[in-house]
Amino acid sequence: AGAFYGLNRTALTAATIITQHEPFAVTACFSLIFLGLFAKHRKTVYWYVAAACLGVAFATVEISILLDGAAILTVLVLYGKQAWRTALGLILKGIAIFALAATVVWPKSLVWGGAVKGYLYLVYIAVARKTFSPIGPVELWGFKLKTYPWEFVSVVVACLILAAFFRHVKNHPAVWPFLFYALFFFLATTVATVPYTYYHCSLFVALAVLAGTSAGLISKLRLGSLLPAAILVAQGVQAWTYYDEQVKAQQEPVADTDVVAYFRDHAGSALVPYYHVPQLHYYSPKLKTIGYDTDWSVDRVAQAIAQLGPSDLVCAEQQCRAFEASLPNGWIQGQERITRDVKPEMWVLRTVPTRD
């Protein structure tokens, strides 16, 4: 399982990007491991630790709600109708520990309703604006299968083997949390089809354990040791392909590097395309940033500038020209190109909002 995940293309991609999905993958891994231990041994201490991990995961990224669903389903399947009171008691105690852990790492989540506001806004942009559904699920997974087939060869083989020999897994309840989370995640991708590879890094945490379980099952059979070897070969091909891609990518200039370099020693305010926000938070912690999306109207951009006060507006050249023509007179005090040999060129407009 460790080799499967460590050499997985999605995991490698996520590990080289600054995103909140990285800490979520770690907390998801711990949550699922302790849920599996609880399902195997029925010791409540594992459930309580898992609930605390779930609370920390909740503070990282919105997709953590799928992890919570997998945890609840695990308890319900374990105890069934005959022991529903026990299941309900465990769930309620788990919610209390979950809330405490979430509040410790993210006080605004529950104390000031930050989580409720966040999830309501998430539902709004997912349902009303279709922000997370730019393409269909068939197009999403079809693209992945065609472009990175080696990433799914071992996954498909392992899942087929696990389905065929699941009854032979000695402690199969320990696998349930990983299986439930993987299923929930796949269902979620029928709606959330944003094609960002790092979004799926936690899914491959669960798939890695399922693949490891399959390898353990088949290794007991004659010539069964060939499966782990085949998995390692498939994963090795992924890792080498990813390495080759990164070597080639480093030879081409990208706007991200120039934007980060420009703001390295800045301590003011900036309105930037949303995908630059994590990078600037990391490399320029003194810089106050607000991210904007490509579909923002000029009025909405103007409101954000008014909120920030004197600030730098980062935009592609064509978009900057549109802002220059549409923002109120006198707001733009200067401009500067910040990228070299990159298309589209990125510019900075120095803005000073007025009340006129």
Side-chain angles (χ1 to χ4, degrees), residues 124-143:
Y124 163 70
I125 62 176
V127 177
R129 293 175 55 187
K130 305 293 183 183
T131 302
F132 299 117
S133 308
I135 58 177
V138 175
E139 187 178 355
L140 170 67
W141 290 108
F143 168 80

Side-chain angles (χ1 to χ4, degrees), residues 18 270 272-283 289-292:
I18 299 174
V272 302
Y274 70 92
Y275 46 81
H276 287 305
V277 172
Q279 304 160 355
L280 294 175
H281 277 176
Y282 183 82
Y283 290 106
T289 57
I290 290 181
Y292 70 90

